[in-house]
């Protein structure tokens, strides 16, 4: 899964969509109906023969059919250009979760972290990734879910927040998915056994429910959860998320 290439394509698509919107005239001129009297339909033409798309009756005026076709064309264009986000979906305790692909740097296999004293129970420690110090969060523990032993399907999703990198340990990675914004609903108070404050919304795609996580909330470390270990080893205290 080439996340760099996926992010590049997403940025290009977003720029192209923005360019089309900027160059598109706000009020395109309507085509005038032909001058002169409107011809009547022949007597032998039945009603079914003068119905437009989706069974819309267009009568005997040619302008009616043209308006129906133009309306459907505009509706199709609007549906095609509907704004959407790309998310990486992954599993936690049998539920499907998602993060915006633009917040993700890469996906790596789990490594043995170096433990850091006086850190929250959901911070497993830190790893070195090409010279970067990356704190590893056990997302199951962070969300209050039952933790399990590591297995070959586990992955660490490396994310970027406020110019710092963090690793999120998840059960397995599923796929990259496009979700229209119109199909994202506000999260309930509790979803999948997780408090709503950790979620940005619920994405509905076909028969699937994708729980979109609030990355900033996941990585926020409360004062009572930390006592000088993580911030000194991984990043400056003034840059703590939250």
């Amino acid at each position: 899964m080439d996340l760099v290439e996926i992010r590049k394509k997403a940025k290009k698509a977003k720029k192209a969509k923005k360019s089309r919107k900027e160059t598109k005239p706000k009020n395109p001129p309507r085509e005038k109906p032909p001058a002169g009297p409107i011809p009547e339909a022949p007597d032998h033409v039945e009603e079914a023969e003068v119905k437009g798309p989706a069974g819309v009756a267009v009568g005997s005026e040619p302008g009616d059919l043209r308006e129906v076709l133009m309306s459907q064309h505009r509706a199709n264009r609007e549906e095609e250009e509907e704004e959407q986000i790309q998310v990486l979906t992954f599993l936690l305790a049998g539920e499907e979760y998602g993060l915006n692909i633009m917040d993700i740097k890469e996906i790596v296999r789990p490594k043995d972290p170096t433990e850091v004293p006086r850190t929250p129970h959901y911070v497993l420690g830190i790893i070195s990734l090409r010279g970067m110090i990356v704190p590893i969060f056990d997302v199951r523990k962070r969300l209050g879910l039952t933790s399990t032993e590591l297995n070959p399907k586990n992955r660490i999703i490396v994310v970027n927040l406020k110019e710092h990198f963090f690793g999120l340990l998840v059960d397995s990675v599923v796929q990259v998915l496009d979700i229209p914004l119109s199909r994202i609903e506000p999260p309930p108070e509790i979803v999948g056994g997780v408090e709503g404050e950790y979620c940005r919304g619920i994405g509905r795609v076909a028969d699937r429910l994708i729980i979109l996580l609030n990355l900033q909330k996941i990585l926020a470390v409360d004062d009572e959860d930390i006592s000088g270990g993580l911030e000194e080893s991984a990043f400056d205290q003034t840059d703590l998320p939250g």
Side-chain angles (χ1 to χ4, degrees):
M1 184 180 294
D2 191 343
L3 295 178
V4 174
E5 187 63 27
I6 291 173
R7 282 198 298 268
K8 286 182 179 178
K9 290 182 179 179
K11 288 181 179 179
K12 287 182 180 178
K14 189 174 182 181
K15 288 182 179 178
K17 185 183 296 182
K18 183 178 180 182
S19 177
R20 287 198 302 270
K21 288 183 179 180
E22 290 176 349
T23 57
K24 183 179 179 181
K26 295 183 179 179
N27 296 306
R30 293 184 57 185
E31 185 177 350
K32 295 182 179 179
I38 298 174
E40 295 183 359
D43 294 337
H44 67 277
V45 177
E46 298 179 1
E47 182 181 356
E49 294 179 299
V50 292
K51 285 184 177 291
V56 179
V58 298
S60 61
E61 298 185 8
D64 291 343
L65 178 57
R66 183 164 50 247
E67 185 62 32
V68 170
L69 294 175
M70 291 179 64
S71 177
Q72 285 196 339
H73 177 69
R74 287 194 295 269
N76 292 339
R77 286 291 301 275
E78 289 174 1
E79 185 175 351
E80 291 175 359
E81 295 179 358
E82 182 178 3
E83 193 170 356
Q84 58 188 13
I85 62 171
Q86 281 192 313
V87 300
L88 175 72
T89 63
F90 51 91
L91 295 180
L92 289 171
E95 298 286 350
E96 196 167 6
Y97 292 78
L99 286 171
N100 192 321
I101 194 71
M102 303 307 293
D103 294 327
I104 298 172
K105 182 180 185 296
E106 60 184 301
I107 301 169
V108 299
R109 295 181 182 274
K111 301 179 180 181
D112 291 332
T114 300
E115 294 185 9
V116 179
R118 301 183 300 280
T119 56
H121 70 285
Y122 47 80
V123 177
L124 302 179
I126 58 176
I127 64 172
S128 177
L129 189 63
R130 290 185 293 280
M132 298 184 301
I133 299 299
V134 180
I136 305 300
F137 283 62
D138 186 328
V139 186
R140 272 182 173 255
K141 291 181 179 180
R142 186 68 177 105
L143 298 178
L145 302 172
T146 304
S147 66
T148 60
E149 297 292 330
L150 289 178
N151 65 73
K153 292 185 178 181
N154 285 127
R155 292 293 183 271
I156 292 177
I157 302 174
V158 181
V159 298
N160 185 355
L161 181 66
K162 296 184 178 180
E163 298 183 0
H164 291 288
F165 294 102
F166 304 84
L168 305 180
L169 177 65
V170 302
D171 293 356
S172 63
V173 169
V174 180
Q175 68 179 127
V176 174
L177 195 63
D178 292 329
I179 303 181
L181 294 184
S182 62
R183 294 184 177 258
I184 298 178
E185 305 171 359
E189 292 185 5
I190 299 290
V191 53
V194 176
E195 294 183 16
E197 64 177 329
Y198 293 106
C199 306
R200 290 181 54 205
I202 306 296
R204 295 183 179 271
V205 180
D207 58 346
R208 297 161 63 183
L209 294 181
I210 314 296
I211 304 172
L212 303 177
L213 290 181
N214 183 335
L215 183 59
Q216 186 158 338
K217 179 62 179 178
I218 295 294
L219 297 177
V221 178
D222 300 328
D223 292 338
E224 58 267 25
D225 290 342
I226 196 166
S227 179
L230 179 63
E231 69 271 28
E232 292 174 2
S233 300
F235 44 80
D236 189 273
Q237 186 175 3
T238 59
D239 289 327
L240 279 171

